[in-house]
Amino acid sequence: MDRLSVEASPGLLPEFLAQRALIGPGRDAIIAGRTRWSFSDLYAASVETAEWLASLGVGPGDRVAALLPNGPGYAAIVHAMARLDATLAPLNTRLTAFELDALLEEVDARVLVYGGACDAIARALGTTTPVVETLRLADDGGDPALPQATNVPLVDLSAVHTIVHTSGTTGRSKGAMLTYGNHFWSAVGSVLNLGLRDDDRWLAVLPFFHVGGLSILMRSVIYGIPVVVHESFDPAAANRAIDEEQVTIVSVVSIMLQRMLDERGLRPYPETFRCALLGGGPAPRGLLEECRRRGVPVVQTYGLTETASQVVTLAPQDAVRELGSAGKPLFPAQVRIEADGGDAAVDQVGEIVVRGPMVTPGYFHRPEATAQALSDGWLHTGDLGYLDADGYLYVVDRRDDLIIRGGENVYPAEVESAILTHPAVAEAGVVGVADARWGQSPLAFVVLRPAMEAGAEEVISFCSERLARYKVPVAVRFVDALPRTAAGKLRRGALRDTTDG
Amino acid sequence: MDRLSVEASPGLLPEFLAQRALIGPGRDAIIAGRTRWSFSDLYAASVETAEWLASLGVGPGDRVAALLPNGPGYAAIVHAMARLDATLAPLNTRLTAFELDALLEEVDARVLVYGGACDAIARALGTTTPVVETLRLADDGGDPALPQATNVPLVDLSAVHTIVHTSGTTGRSKGAMLTYGNHFWSAVGSVLNLGLRDDDRWLAVLPFFHVGGLSILMRSVIYGIPVVVHESFDPAAANRAIDEEQVTIVSVVSIMLQRMLDERGLRPYPETFRCALLGGGPAPRGLLEECRRRGVPVVQTYGLTETASQVVTLAPQDAVRELGSAGKPLFPAQVRIEADGGDAAVDQVGEIVVRGPMVTPGYFHRPEATAQALSDGWLHTGDLGYLDADGYLYVVDRRDDLIIRGGENVYPAEVESAILTHPAVAEAGVVGVADARWGQSPLAFVVLRPAMEAGAEEVISFCSERLARYKVPVAVRFVDALPRTAAGKLRRGALRDTTDG
């Protein structure tokens, strides 16, 4: 007799926001400046937004493109999708009109909704998609009938909620389809690692058009906790939110966390602050050590647009012991390292491959890219890393950023991490340049701290004391700023473009 | 165009215990007296148990019946099932040989495993099923190779993990099939309501052969927290575990919680104790008020074997304000009240009907009972309750226990709750007896507190001051004990059998 099993459940759940508004209507959902919405306010705002979008012709199966800064209205649009059976395509507000026109053509949206400081660029678009300024919502989100126990609709976990374009640190941007299930499982995976407290409040300084910000909006509704929304990242404002708004968790990338620490000086954080969830690439060792020294509760994570955010996260209990590791797979996830066409050995660097119910079913209208990335449910991430003997993941770099020098692998993140420990250095970026003798060589771009000085030779000699000889940059260029994505991730491709190499 | 959706995910997750042993091998899993198993110990014990069961002929699709008291070995058997693709049928250790023989025939088990004090009854069985004493495990569970990132097996969420017989307060017991998905979603629903802390420890005083105890074993592995195991309920030992083992959550039924409070006297509980999860039927008002007065963090819940435990639970934030309510549906669940063939009005009593991914797919080999209970995913619970205007559920009683007196509904739980506020009363049970004039009348069974006295007339007059006239018992019988299930639930059917009525 075969294993006893029954027909699989159809993968339906009560619609997230309606259910949350039924369960805890009065609890805080959104805190943004003086705006403070409960879950019933947010529900009301999402209903009003859905009705408005329907009046613009949006119906089941349509895409809605959004080009606006973080704010309560963004949350209303995100949760209006379930009421329309539509899919949201959040667009990066830093893109050019040319880039946005290309994305709009790709997603074939029924309407582009813009707001805030995006009106100038929205007006400059050449797209045939109707471009509409977003609805102005009442301060309390309006007042429709609240959901009752009997009329919370079901949502199909396999329906596509969002198409999120990869942050595009390399190559052409692709739109990862994220289902309701992807978002839900991501939130479940996170809660089974980070836990959940009555008084949790998650600070959103990452943009909602990236998965790092968007996923906070989903967790807020799934967990029943408020999200404290900042329109953009400001280190002083982020620190103030921790002090004054009792923020307990903040999602950041390295450069943001470093700026928060610099801004704060030596004043300790309050006990209520329990997690700085640090993603967006390998973290500089110096930053992690500074956090440990100062008692900042940093928790490293590894995530991708294609996994609806975190997929591997260090448990808070391991944060100090396993410094530098991105941790273990979240409970519903699996991770492997592929090298030479098979599983890598312990400590052997290879491509990070992940699987689980938070992994995207594919890229929108890009079947070849989908087939290339996904096989048997495993997502090939294009990131390089290794698993140690205890199963902890260490992310070393993007595969595309790898520098191969005379047959030796040089990981830019490692070189940057070394340069960043120099007291005069604020930011560092390393890329490969063509080298007649060695194939490629590392070149460093450095931003100095205000009123600090250091010459190229000093930086190179500093590296020589810390790195194997083949990893030491052959040259250093001093610049005023490094190219970064809206989420703060270093764009090494843009740096490479400046080297003609 | 239809809603954008993709092929549903196949409903696979990493096998729970292997994944937990990979993620947090060294964290505490089981604390039982001097035995203290980490998740890697528990994993090792489950592997050893699976190998032993396989040597007895257990293979995919087989049922394994278990008849033993709470202990670490029980957890090893529960988690061995995934390694065998087999299904566990935990049996109630209080049943007679006659009852057990009938259940064994029904579940058609490959083997019955017994242990502890169950050896006498196991030897008295007439079953043709092989009866085997359970494996004696090493104190640390043995030492097999731990799971690696690459070899955690997947588990199909639609596979049946357990067949749990309903506690049988009324009618013939039925075996509810609980899938891996039922257990997982139950745990997820609970965590999204009660939260999860690093230092959580769940006390198991309910038997593992009931869903109230079994679900603690599943949550322990899914959350990565220890379960503190007591072989049976002892109020002093439970209180000690809260003080000395830093238990944060305990699952109890009313009679257990009352005995814990009585045993403790006025000494307050430590801050670490954050939740007394109170299920097993409507809670007496007096008990809830005593908890409020004494600051005991009681959280009412409504659950069933068929829902893998909780399905409606009061949020801790609402525990004081909504005293007496079982709360709101868990995040993945829905609840309705059916009356007169449709949805009941607000505050109207009817049958409680629930839906969600924690609901059983049906009863083992009982297609008619399954068809009767389940329709379109909705489970008809046979319990009576109502939803108030804010959507809070109030459970009034079992439908089968309802007393109809001259056309008026008398809910035994309400009458018991009133009697229990009498200072001399320790326990109370109310059933209907035939009444020539009114059809039925309430009859009370009362257990007095040690060294306390009260006559039948005093109890009746006490009730008259607190209840409408038609609800007042017509007679009172004083007894030494009330019949209860192993989980501590009152067996009104057994009381009725003693009345000849």
Side-chain angles (χ1 to χ4, degrees), chain B residues 234-305:
Chain B
D234 173 76
N239 281 331
R240 256 199 321 276
I242 291 170
D243 290 329
E244 294 169 13
E245 295 280 8
Q246 291 83 48
V247 159
T248 60
I249 308 180
V250 53
S251 298
V252 283
V253 300
S254 298
I255 183 77
M256 292 176 173
L257 184 56
Q258 185 64 62
R259 289 180 60 198
M260 285 172 66
L261 298 185
D262 290 350
E263 193 277 336
R264 193 163 186 91
L266 292 177
R267 198 154 53 91
Y269 283 104
E271 282 281 318
T272 42
F273 181 42
R274 70 181 185 90
C275 177
L277 189 64
L278 178 60
R285 187 94 191 168
L287 173 61
L288 296 174
E289 280 166 356
E290 182 178 355
C291 287
R292 176 159 63 176
R293 218 167 39 238
R294 294 173 56 173
V296 176
V298 65
V299 171
Q300 274 208 87
T301 184
Y302 170 69
L304 303 103
T305 302

Side-chain angles (χ1 to χ4, degrees), chain A residues 1-4 6 19 22-23 27 60-61 85 152 158 160 184 195-197 317 328-331 333-334, chain B residues 1-4 6 19 22-23 27 60-61 85 152 158 160 185 195-197 317 328-331 333-334:
Chain A
M1 180 175 167
D2 274 347
R3 175 172 57 195
L4 188 63
V6 294
Q19 179 79 347
L22 170 74
I23 293 176
R27 301 194 74 185
D85 277 350
V152 171
S158 65
V160 177
F184 188 84
L196 176 63
R197 292 167 175 257
Q317 307 89 329
K328 301 265 182 115
L330 296 183
F331 194 77
Q334 295 183 288
Chain B
M1 181 175 166
D2 274 347
R3 175 171 58 193
L4 188 63
V6 293
Q19 178 79 348
L22 171 74
I23 294 176
R27 302 194 73 187
D85 277 351
V152 170
S158 65
V160 178
W185 283 99
L196 176 63
R197 293 167 175 258
Q317 306 89 331
K328 301 265 181 113
L330 296 184
F331 194 77
Q334 296 183 286

Side-chain angles (χ1 to χ4, degrees), chain A residues 248-301:
Chain A
T248 60
I249 309 180
V250 54
S251 298
V252 282
V253 300
S254 297
I255 182 77
M256 291 175 173
L257 184 56
Q258 185 63 63
R259 288 181 61 198
M260 286 171 67
L261 298 185
D262 291 349
E263 193 276 338
R264 193 162 186 93
L266 292 176
R267 198 154 53 90
Y269 284 102
E271 282 281 316
T272 42
F273 180 43
R274 72 181 184 90
C275 177
L277 188 65
L278 178 61
R285 188 90 192 172
L287 173 61
L288 296 175
E289 280 167 355
E290 182 177 355
C291 286
R292 175 159 66 176
R293 221 168 33 241
R294 294 173 57 174
V296 177
V298 66
V299 171
Q300 274 208 85
T301 184

Side-chain angles (χ1 to χ4, degrees), chain B residues 20-41:
Chain B
R20 183 53 67 190
L22 171 74
I23 294 176
R27 302 194 73 187
D28 285 338
I30 303 275
I31 297 168
R34 262 163 295 180
T35 302
R36 194 170 280 253
W37 282 358
S38 66
F39 282 104
S40 67
D41 296 332

Side-chain angles (χ1 to χ4, degrees), chain B residues 17 29-30 37-47 72 75-76 79 140 221:
Chain B
L17 177 56
I30 303 275
W37 282 358
S38 66
F39 282 104
S40 67
D41 296 332
L42 177 57
Y43 176 73
S46 82
V47 169
H79 295 294
D140 63 354
V221 168

